[in-house]
Amino acid sequence: MYFKKLSMNVLSSVQSFYHTLVLYLSAFVTLMTPGTVIWKIFGNRKGKVHLMSRDLICDSETLTKLPKCSKPLDQFTNALCPFLPTFLLDSDNSWKQRRNVFSFGNDLIIERIGQTSPDFRLASKPGNILWDVFEMISRYSFQLVFNRPPTNEEFNRIYPGLLDINRIIKRFTSTPDVKIRQNFYDEVLKLIQDNDKDFLFHNCEAFFQMEEIHQVSSVAEDFLTTISVQCTDLVCHMLLVYSEHADDFQNQFDNALNETLRLYPLTDLWVRQPYGGQRGWITSLVQLNRNGWAQPDAFSCERWNLPKHPPLMSWGFDIRRCPAQKLATNVSKLVFQTIVNQEGFWIEPAANFQHERTFPYGCQAWIGYGEKPKNARRWKFENKLRMQLRRWLCEKLRMIDQNELN
Ligand SMILES: *[C@@H]1O[C@H](CO)[C@@H](O)[C@H](O)[C@H]1NC(C)=O
Ligand SMILES: *[C@@H]1O[C@H](CO)[C@@H](O)[C@H](O)[C@H]1NC(C)=O
């Protein structure tokens, strides 16, 4: 009996050592994000896989059955300094204040979206459209918060900060540019202090009761950054999928949107530190969103019409569910539809471009209007190898710097 137990323990330690080793080695040598690596290695597994110091949660059912915990999901991330993002705050008073203020702003912004009809139009060109979309949505996020477009001076002090944040998130660089972030901070603070009658929180007492850092973070992080970064990713994913499945976006938009998010979730990993006798855990959104679906790697809108199907986990779960889901889908839908409904719009991704969850080479696509040139299907973007190497390096630095996998 004793020996049986002992040998079971040894066996399970050897297994967790083996799983940990395979996961780390693959995450380190390949160009895939850790979340994608996890899907490749552990595929359709159910339940938990024991790693050395934490568990890997393989499916949504196991995840939602874990004891409730209100601790932040993610750990430290340098991408957003000097701001304090709500999702990193412990469930204390400032978190509650920020969530309340967020709900206030969120409702008003959703109203404002209905009142605007911006003219989103991408310039004709073959190349990386990621930053074109990003700049457009950054301007729009300012307009939603202040109810007017930014002046050039305002935009020039804010946009480089947003760009720097997104470049770190995208692993195009690994350290923040502190001076640019400071300009961003100062400009937002100034706008808050002006408290123009059209400012989102003009009449919101709870907003002005928060400390300065929370006021600035609420505007700069929870709204400007979230809207511009998340919606840009979602819009670019939709545009790439649209290049092959335009009909689905015309005939069953909501299904196409969910199917895009299922294949390309905007987040890679969720991690949680040990709590209440539980081991810490890690989970890959790519895996959660594909587990339990037939032909999980294929794009198929019809699957959303089936009466019973696994949930889409892209927007989170329990009390840490993303409160911006409605706002983000609303903005993304508006931007996306305005772009593709422009007269004669067409898009052709580069022949050497692979659509991945992150955008390691940006979003390389030829945008045009009217007749498509004959060579459109053959165009290729340059410097792919260099971009991959840079991304590999920044990604590994970030894995180490932020303890992503340990
Ligand atoms: C898409 O996913 C969201 C979030 O899980 C869900 O609320 C919505 O009903 C889904 N839409 C369709 C068309 O199934
Ligand atoms: C966004 O929400 C507003 C208000 O609920 C609604 O009128 C509008 O149609 C929505 N827009 C899109 C593109 O979903």
Side-chain angles (χ1 to χ4, degrees), residues 175-222:
T175 45
D177 184 326
V178 180
K179 190 160 164 288
I180 283 179
R181 302 291 180 95
Q182 192 63 47
N183 291 345
F184 181 17
Y185 187 99
D186 294 342
E187 185 65 20
V188 170
L189 182 60
K190 188 171 139 293
L191 285 157
I192 291 173
Q193 287 167 347
D194 288 348
N195 194 14
D196 184 86
K197 67 171 181 19
D198 277 336
F199 171 47
L200 192 61
F201 297 114
H202 180 65
N203 285 321
C204 179
E205 248 172 68
F207 177 83
F208 288 99
Q209 278 161 4
M210 297 193 302
E211 291 165 44
E212 178 187 301
I213 174 74
H214 286 299
Q215 293 184 14
V216 179
S217 297
S218 171
V219 171
E221 211 297 307
D222 297 352

Side-chain angles (χ1 to χ4, degrees), residues 110-111 113-114 326 329-330 333-334 337:
I110 288 176
E111 257 176 53
I113 298 170
K326 188 165 177 220
T329 41
N330 200 300
K333 186 175 170 183
L334 179 70
Q337 290 186 330

Side-chain angles (χ1 to χ4, degrees), residues 14-235:
V14 171
Q15 265 182 347
S16 42
F17 177 72
Y18 172 74
H19 285 144
T20 311
L21 191 72
V22 171
L23 175 55
Y24 278 56
L25 275 181
S26 325
F28 207 77
V29 296
T30 66
L31 288 166
M32 294 179 277
T33 65
T36 311
V37 168
I38 288 172
W39 167 244
K40 295 271 187 231
I41 302 177
F42 299 103
N44 278 310
R45 280 177 82 139
K46 298 278 190 286
K48 297 177 183 178
V49 170
H50 286 286
L51 302 176
M52 303 263 291
S53 59
R54 58 170 80 233
D55 293 324
L56 174 70
I57 310 289
C58 298
D59 61 298
S60 327
E61 208 179 323
T62 309
L63 178 69
T64 43
K65 278 201 186 123
L66 287 170
K68 291 273 169 282
C69 173
S70 58
K71 284 202 175 315
L73 269 181
D74 305 68
Q75 293 162 270
F76 172 74
T77 166
N78 67 0
L80 296 162
C81 85
F83 308 114
L84 298 176
T86 331
F87 59 84
L88 292 187
L89 293 173
D90 253 315
S91 214
D92 59 3
N93 203 32
S94 17
W95 184 72
K96 291 200 188 92
Q97 280 181 317
R98 286 276 290 275
R99 278 294 286 248
N100 290 340
V101 163
F102 183 87
S103 304
F104 177 96
N106 185 55
D107 293 348
L108 192 50
I109 285 194
I110 288 176
E111 257 176 53
R112 285 183 180 181
I113 298 170
Q115 294 154 5
T116 56
S117 45
D119 184 33
F120 301 115
R121 184 187 169 92
L122 288 174
S124 311
K125 69 164 192 195
N128 179 8
I129 60 167
L130 182 74
W131 304 121
D132 304 309
V133 176
F134 186 61
E135 189 178 327
M136 208 155 71
I137 300 184
S138 300
R139 276 183 201 280
Y140 187 54
S141 70
F142 182 104
Q143 182 177 345
L144 291 174
V145 173
F146 298 101
N147 216 12
R148 62 170 173 85
T151 64
N152 282 341
E153 293 75 45
E154 285 166 341
F155 195 65
N156 291 340
R157 280 190 295 265
I158 284 179
Y159 183 65
L162 286 171
L163 192 60
D164 193 54
I165 291 173
N166 204 1
R167 283 169 57 82
I168 291 211
I169 293 176
K170 296 282 178 312
R171 283 101 157 155
F172 286 8
T173 168
S174 61
T175 45
D177 184 326
V178 180
K179 190 160 164 288
I180 283 179
R181 302 291 180 95
Q182 192 63 47
N183 291 345
F184 181 17
Y185 187 99
D186 294 342
E187 185 65 20
V188 170
L189 182 60
K190 188 171 139 293
L191 285 157
I192 291 173
Q193 287 167 347
D194 288 348
N195 194 14
D196 184 86
K197 67 171 181 19
D198 277 336
F199 171 47
L200 192 61
F201 297 114
H202 180 65
N203 285 321
C204 179
E205 248 172 68
F207 177 83
F208 288 99
Q209 278 161 4
M210 297 193 302
E211 291 165 44
E212 178 187 301
I213 174 74
H214 286 299
Q215 293 184 14
V216 179
S217 297
S218 171
V219 171
E221 211 297 307
D222 297 352
F223 288 100
L224 299 180
T225 307
T226 307
I227 294 175
S228 43
V229 175
Q230 302 281 73
C231 298
T232 297
D233 283 17
L234 184 47
V235 167

Side-chain angles (χ1 to χ4, degrees), residues 254-255 258 304 309 312 315 325:
D254 291 339
N255 287 5
N258 277 13
W304 291 94
H309 55 70
L312 179 71
W315 302 105
Q325 174 180 348

